[in-house]
PDB file of all heavy atoms in Angstrom:
ATOM      1  N   PRO A  45     100.823  78.748  97.127  1.00 98.00           N
ATOM      2  CA  PRO A  45     101.153  79.461  95.877  1.00 98.00           C
ATOM      3  C   PRO A  45     101.726  80.834  96.201  1.00 98.00           C
ATOM      4  O   PRO A  45     101.173  81.548  97.040  1.00 98.00           O
ATOM      5  CB  PRO A  45      99.817  79.586  95.136  1.00 98.00           C
ATOM      6  CG  PRO A  45      98.762  79.065  96.042  1.00 98.00           C
ATOM      7  CD  PRO A  45      99.381  78.589  97.330  1.00 98.00           C
ATOM      8  N   ILE A  55     109.859  82.962 100.810  1.00 99.00           N
ATOM      9  CA  ILE A  55     108.984  82.172 101.708  1.00 99.00           C
ATOM     10  C   ILE A  55     109.728  80.894 102.134  1.00 99.00           C
ATOM     11  O   ILE A  55     109.762  80.521 103.307  1.00 99.00           O
ATOM     12  CB  ILE A  55     107.655  81.807 101.000  1.00 99.00           C
ATOM     13  CG1 ILE A  55     106.790  83.048 100.790  1.00 99.00           C
ATOM     14  CG2 ILE A  55     106.884  80.755 101.804  1.00 99.00           C
ATOM     15  CD1 ILE A  55     105.603  82.835  99.825  1.00 99.00           C
ATOM     16  N   PRO A 110     109.139  81.034  71.403  1.00 94.00           N
ATOM     17  CA  PRO A 110     110.310  81.911  71.236  1.00 94.00           C
ATOM     18  C   PRO A 110     110.676  82.739  72.465  1.00 94.00           C
ATOM     19  O   PRO A 110     111.842  83.080  72.653  1.00 94.00           O
ATOM     20  CB  PRO A 110     109.894  82.824  70.070  1.00 94.00           C
ATOM     21  CG  PRO A 110     108.417  82.671  69.928  1.00 94.00           C
ATOM     22  CD  PRO A 110     108.073  81.312  70.445  1.00 94.00           C
ATOM     23  N   MET A 177      82.627  78.028  92.459  1.00 47.00           N
ATOM     24  CA  MET A 177      82.378  78.598  91.131  1.00 47.00           C
ATOM     25  C   MET A 177      81.126  79.458  91.080  1.00 47.00           C
ATOM     26  O   MET A 177      80.753  79.963  90.027  1.00 47.00           O
ATOM     27  CB  MET A 177      82.214  77.462  90.108  1.00 47.00           C
ATOM     28  CG  MET A 177      83.511  77.018  89.482  1.00 47.00           C
ATOM     29  SD  MET A 177      84.329  78.422  88.766  1.00 47.00           S
ATOM     30  CE  MET A 177      85.799  78.453  89.672  1.00 47.00           C
ATOM     31  N   LEU A 200      96.217  97.708  72.411  1.00 98.00           N
ATOM     32  CA  LEU A 200      95.836  96.666  73.378  1.00 98.00           C
ATOM     33  C   LEU A 200      97.067  95.830  73.724  1.00 98.00           C
ATOM     34  O   LEU A 200      97.782  95.364  72.833  1.00 98.00           O
ATOM     35  CB  LEU A 200      94.755  95.764  72.753  1.00 98.00           C
ATOM     36  CG  LEU A 200      94.318  94.538  73.538  1.00 98.00           C
ATOM     37  CD1 LEU A 200      93.612  94.917  74.853  1.00 98.00           C
ATOM     38  CD2 LEU A 200      93.385  93.641  72.695  1.00 98.00           C
ATOM     39  N   TYR A 206      96.617  82.032  78.132  1.00 97.00           N
ATOM     40  CA  TYR A 206      95.431  81.790  77.296  1.00 97.00           C
ATOM     41  C   TYR A 206      94.736  83.075  76.851  1.00 97.00           C
ATOM     42  O   TYR A 206      94.058  83.098  75.829  1.00 97.00           O
ATOM     43  CB  TYR A 206      94.428  80.903  78.040  1.00 97.00           C
ATOM     44  CG  TYR A 206      94.835  79.452  78.174  1.00 97.00           C
ATOM     45  CD1 TYR A 206      94.078  78.566  78.929  1.00 97.00           C
ATOM     46  CD2 TYR A 206      95.976  78.955  77.546  1.00 97.00           C
ATOM     47  CE1 TYR A 206      94.441  77.232  79.064  1.00 97.00           C
ATOM     48  CE2 TYR A 206      96.349  77.631  77.682  1.00 97.00           C
ATOM     49  CZ  TYR A 206      95.570  76.770  78.441  1.00 97.00           C
ATOM     50  OH  TYR A 206      95.930  75.455  78.579  1.00 97.00           O
ATOM     51  N   LEU A 249      94.931  93.913  78.983  1.00 98.00           N
ATOM     52  CA  LEU A 249      94.125  92.749  79.370  1.00 98.00           C
ATOM     53  C   LEU A 249      95.022  91.830  80.192  1.00 98.00           C
ATOM     54  O   LEU A 249      95.988  91.260  79.674  1.00 98.00           O
ATOM     55  CB  LEU A 249      93.627  92.033  78.103  1.00 98.00           C
ATOM     56  CG  LEU A 249      92.500  91.040  78.268  1.00 98.00           C
ATOM     57  CD1 LEU A 249      91.272  91.671  78.918  1.00 98.00           C
ATOM     58  CD2 LEU A 249      92.124  90.433  76.915  1.00 98.00           C
ATOM     59  N   ALA A 326      83.954 101.241  81.196  1.00 98.00           N
ATOM     60  CA  ALA A 326      85.423 101.230  81.372  1.00 98.00           C
ATOM     61  C   ALA A 326      86.095 101.999  80.243  1.00 98.00           C
ATOM     62  O   ALA A 326      87.021 102.773  80.466  1.00 98.00           O
ATOM     63  CB  ALA A 326      85.935  99.789  81.410  1.00 98.00           C
ATOM     64  N   ARG A 338      85.049  88.808  86.609  1.00 96.00           N
ATOM     65  CA  ARG A 338      85.204  87.478  87.217  1.00 96.00           C
ATOM     66  C   ARG A 338      84.657  86.430  86.250  1.00 96.00           C
ATOM     67  O   ARG A 338      83.498  86.488  85.861  1.00 96.00           O
ATOM     68  CB  ARG A 338      84.471  87.451  88.548  1.00 96.00           C
ATOM     69  CG  ARG A 338      84.575  86.139  89.248  1.00 96.00           C
ATOM     70  CD  ARG A 338      84.460  86.294  90.747  1.00 96.00           C
ATOM     71  NE  ARG A 338      85.759  86.459  91.328  1.00 96.00           N
ATOM     72  CZ  ARG A 338      86.035  86.177  92.620  1.00 96.00           C
ATOM     73  NH1 ARG A 338      85.106  85.768  93.416  1.00 96.00           N
ATOM     74  NH2 ARG A 338      87.251  86.315  93.092  1.00 96.00           N
ATOM     75  N   GLY A 355     105.916  86.139  64.051  1.00 96.00           N
ATOM     76  CA  GLY A 355     107.048  86.166  64.985  1.00 96.00           C
ATOM     77  C   GLY A 355     106.877  87.286  66.008  1.00 96.00           C
ATOM     78  O   GLY A 355     106.159  88.263  65.771  1.00 96.00           O
TER      79      GLY A 355
END
Side-chain angles (χ1 to χ4, degrees):
I55 291 167
M177 271 305 119
L200 174 65
Y206 288 174
L249 196 57
R338 180 153 268 203

